[in-house]
C-alpha cells in the first residue's frame, strides 16, 4: 500500500465521517459500518455517512459539507474504486524451471512433475482512500490499496479496513 500525507499536516483527527462510494447501498453500508466498528475498537470516533446522507442524495462535495455542518466531525475519509480488472496470474511449478527429470525416473510423483505451473485469471481491485480536513476542505492524506482475487466483498472490506487503519495510525492521521 502506498500513502501520502500533506507535509504541513501535524495533528491527528478525533472524529471521522466514513464514506464508501459504491453502486450498491448494501456494500456501502457494510464497508462504513465495519470501518466505524474497527475504529471504535481503537478509541477513535467515527460516523458512517449513511447515517447523515441517504441513498437518494447525490454524493458530492456540497452534500457532504451540508451533512457535517454543525457536527463535531473533523475529517472525512472517502473510499472509492479506481479500477477492477481481471489479470492472468501465473504460478510456477514447485520444482522450479531447472528440473528436467521424468516421473518414471524419480521419487517425485507424476502429478507434481507434470505440473510445470498454472495460470488463472484473478480479479484485481484498486481502491483510493482520501482523507479531507473538514474545516479547510483540503486533502491531507491519501492511500491506494490493491486486493487480488478476493473471495467476497466481506474479505475486501476486512482487508482494506485493517490496512488503512494501521497506516492511518502509523502516519499520525488518527490516534
Amino acid at each position: 500500500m502506498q500513502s501520502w500525507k500533506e507535509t504541513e499536516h501535524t495533528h491527528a483527527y478525533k472524529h471521522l465521517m466514513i464514506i464508501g462510494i459504491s453502486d450498491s447501498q448494501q456494500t456501502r453500508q457494510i464497508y462504513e459500518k465495519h470501518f466505524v466498528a474497527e475504529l471504535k475498537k481503537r478509541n477513535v470516533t467515527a460516523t458512517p455517512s449513511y447515517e447523515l446522507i441517504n441513498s437518494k442524495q447525490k454524493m458530492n462535495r456540497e452534500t457532504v459539507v451540508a451533512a457535517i455542518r454543525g457536527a463535531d466531525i473533523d475529517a472525512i475519509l472517502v473510499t472509492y474504486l479506481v479500477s477492477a480488472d481481471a489479470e492472468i496470474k501465473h504460478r510456477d511449478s514447485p520444482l522450479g524451471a531447472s528440473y528436467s527429470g521424468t516421473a518414471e525416473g524419480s521419487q517425485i510423483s507424476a502429478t507434481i512433475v507434470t505440473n510445470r505451473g498454472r495460470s488463472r485469471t484473478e480479479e484485481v481491485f484498486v481502491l483510493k482512500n482520501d482523507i479531507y480536513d473538514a474545516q479547510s476542505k483540503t486533502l491531507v492524506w491519501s492511500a491506494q490499496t490493491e486486493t487480488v482475487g478476493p473471495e467476497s466483498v466481506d474479505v475486501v472490506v476486512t482487508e482494506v479496513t485493517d490496512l488503512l487503519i494501521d497506516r492511518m495510525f502509523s502516519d499520525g492521521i488518527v490516534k
Side-chain angles (χ1 to χ4, degrees), residues 22-33:
S22 175
D23 293 339
S24 162
Q25 289 304 310
Q26 181 180 7
T27 300
R28 172 188 173 194
Q29 287 190 13
I30 289 168
Y31 176 77
E32 292 177 5
K33 197 178 289 186

Side-chain angles (χ1 to χ4, degrees), residues 37-86:
E38 291 302 306
L39 283 172
K40 185 177 182 179
K41 288 179 186 176
R42 297 188 189 200
N43 299 315
V44 175
T45 303
T47 300
S49 75
Y50 67 81
E51 288 183 358
L52 303 174
I53 302 169
N54 70 47
S55 62
K56 291 178 175 54
Q57 290 177 283
K58 186 173 183 176
M59 189 69 74
N60 59 31
R61 183 182 179 122
E62 292 76 29
T63 305
V64 173
V65 169
I68 65 171
R69 190 172 291 124
D72 62 348
I73 294 169
D74 56 359
I76 300 100
L77 169 71
V78 181
T79 298
Y80 57 96
L81 183 68
V82 174
S83 67
D85 295 314

Side-chain angles (χ1 to χ4, degrees), residues 21 78-85 124-130 142-146:
I21 305 293
V78 181
T79 298
Y80 57 96
L81 183 68
V82 174
S83 67
D85 295 314
V124 179
F125 295 95
V126 178
L127 298 173
K128 188 89 164 43
N129 310 274
D130 296 331
S142 184
Q144 187 166 305
T145 58
E146 182 178 289

Side-chain angles (χ1 to χ4, degrees), residues 42-174:
R42 297 188 189 200
N43 299 315
V44 175
T45 303
T47 300
S49 75
Y50 67 81
E51 288 183 358
L52 303 174
I53 302 169
N54 70 47
S55 62
K56 291 178 175 54
Q57 290 177 283
K58 186 173 183 176
M59 189 69 74
N60 59 31
R61 183 182 179 122
E62 292 76 29
T63 305
V64 173
V65 169
I68 65 171
R69 190 172 291 124
D72 62 348
I73 294 169
D74 56 359
I76 300 100
L77 169 71
V78 181
T79 298
Y80 57 96
L81 183 68
V82 174
S83 67
D85 295 314
E87 289 184 7
I88 297 175
K89 299 286 184 179
H90 181 75
R91 307 280 187 245
D92 289 329
S93 167
L95 300 176
S98 62
Y99 183 77
S100 61
T102 64
E104 295 78 23
S106 71
Q107 300 295 322
I108 302 170
S109 80
T111 56
I112 293 177
V113 173
T114 58
N115 178 10
R116 300 281 184 203
R118 294 184 181 186
S119 294
R120 72 178 225 201
T121 302
E122 294 180 337
E123 290 181 296
V124 179
F125 295 95
V126 178
L127 298 173
K128 188 89 164 43
N129 310 274
D130 296 331
I131 294 183
Y132 295 89
D133 182 274
Q135 187 174 9
S136 68
K137 299 173 187 65
T138 59
L139 181 66
V140 294
W141 184 85
S142 184
Q144 187 166 305
T145 58
E146 182 178 289
T147 305
V148 179
E151 295 175 19
S152 68
V153 169
D154 293 339
V155 170
V156 173
V157 166
T158 302
E159 288 177 358
V160 168
T161 300
D162 290 346
L163 280 170
L164 286 174
I165 291 173
D166 286 347
R167 184 59 65 94
M168 288 163 60
F169 272 92
S170 67
D171 286 352
I173 292 297
V174 294

